[in-house]
Amino acid sequence: MASPLTQVQDLAERPTQTVLDVRWQLSAGSQPDLYAAGHIPGAAFVDLDRDLAAPPGPGGRHPLPAVDDFERAMRAAGVSAERPVVVYDDANGLPAARAWWLLRYFGHPRVALLDGGLGAWLAAGRSLAEGDETPEHVGDFVARPGGMPVLDARRAGELAGAGVLIDARAPERYRGETEPMDPVAGHIPGARNWPLDRTLDPDGRFLPAVELAEALTRLTGGAEVGAYCGSGITAAHTVLALELGGISGAALYPGSWSEWVADPSRPVATGDESG
């Protein structure tokens, strides 16, 4: 299987790839203004809240987008099945990983995340383009769901007891000490905490695959694995890290904590039980 990561040099030397800019912040939402101020030349902007999620509701803050909506958005961004796609952001790969996972889930065969994102591009002395770019190639991507495994709430709860369910949120949110986004604090009983920063080096690049494999093998122990977070964004990053570490087939719980707590009958745990 091809690596889910690509490096700056590879991107710069292969102009026949479709590049998607997925800049987004939890507190500010999608950031097309930053894209317009400077982006990797040829990149099209993708709005996470509009293009990579359905409207919030009982299914969580970022439910999976409808098939037709996602297909339309990707075609508008120039995505075609025969062209490799590279996704990037300026936030440690967090929103870009959502685009990576969705493209894989909807059947695109060749998607990679730019390791280190925009920061790595600039650190390599590469230039930026300004304004809004119309994709050079018209997209013909056909979205076919099912390319990546998913969990619903029932299965996520079961996996937390019978396998390994990773909670990718910050430790204080996992423990229930604070909850800035959702109405209930805590975690799914039995889930193990593995926050985003354990997968990255100080420059925002993923740790070497050997290091990830060692750490994640200790965490998962060969069991069936799933991941969740607040609304299914950070957990996609965790699935990518698992794949880098040689653990393929990890399932994503798209509704995540924001869906879990929408039903008051679902149990909630606090404290640290991550082992």
Side-chain angles (χ1 to χ4, degrees):
M1 180 182 294
S3 173
L5 291 184
T6 192
Q7 304 300 322
V8 168
Q9 184 174 350
D10 294 329
L11 175 57
E13 293 178 353
R14 297 175 183 172
T16 58
Q17 300 177 95
T18 300
V19 183
L20 305 181
D21 183 308
V22 199
R23 272 181 276 184
W24 175 89
Q25 294 285 345
L26 182 61
S27 59
S30 296
Q31 298 180 302
D33 53 331
L34 295 183
Y35 164 82
H39 56 267
I40 293 176
F45 181 72
V46 171
D47 187 310
L48 186 149
D49 295 313
R50 181 192 66 212
D51 302 331
L52 305 182
R61 287 185 278 110
H62 291 103
L64 296 186
V67 176
D68 291 347
D69 293 340
F70 183 74
E71 180 177 285
R72 188 180 307 111
M74 292 301 99
R75 288 186 176 193
V79 174
S80 296
E82 72 275 9
R83 288 172 59 86
V85 178
V86 174
V87 295
Y88 78 92
D89 57 49
D90 61 355
N92 293 334
L94 186 62
R98 170 74 170 204
W100 170 84
W101 187 90
L102 278 172
L103 281 161
R104 290 274 301 271
Y105 172 76
F106 282 111
H108 199 290
R110 292 179 293 171
V111 190
L113 184 146
L114 178 62
D115 196 18
L118 189 65
W121 181 266
L122 293 172
R126 302 289 178 176
S127 62
L128 299 179
E130 297 180 357
D132 190 11
E133 294 196 50
T134 301
E136 181 179 346
H137 299 272
V138 177
D140 60 7
F141 175 66
V142 177
R144 298 183 177 91
M148 297 286 274
V150 296
L151 302 171
D152 59 14
R154 179 190 62 80
R155 183 63 187 129
E158 292 174 348
L159 188 59
V164 174
L165 182 66
I166 297 173
D167 184 317
R169 296 174 300 162
E172 60 272 17
R173 291 183 70 189
Y174 166 81
R175 293 191 297 263
E177 297 166 1
T178 183
E179 181 45 65
M181 302 302 298
D182 296 305
V184 180
H187 61 267
I188 297 174
R192 305 180 191 184
N193 190 218
W194 184 265
L196 174 74
D197 59 7
R198 294 187 186 177
T199 68
L200 302 171
D201 69 15
D203 294 325
R205 291 178 171 88
F206 279 87
L207 295 173
V210 172
E211 290 185 35
L212 286 173
E214 181 179 350
L216 289 166
T217 299
R218 286 199 306 268
L219 177 69
T220 62
E224 182 181 355
V225 183
Y228 80 99
C229 55
S231 66
I233 305 299
T234 306
H237 191 280
T238 301
V239 172
L240 193 154
L242 285 160
E243 190 164 302
L244 279 174
I247 301 172
S248 59
L252 177 74
Y253 175 21
S256 284
W257 187 245
S258 58
E259 180 190 42
W260 184 266
V261 299
D263 183 346
S265 71
R266 294 186 184 120
V268 170
T270 56
D272 192 353
E273 55 174 321
S274 55

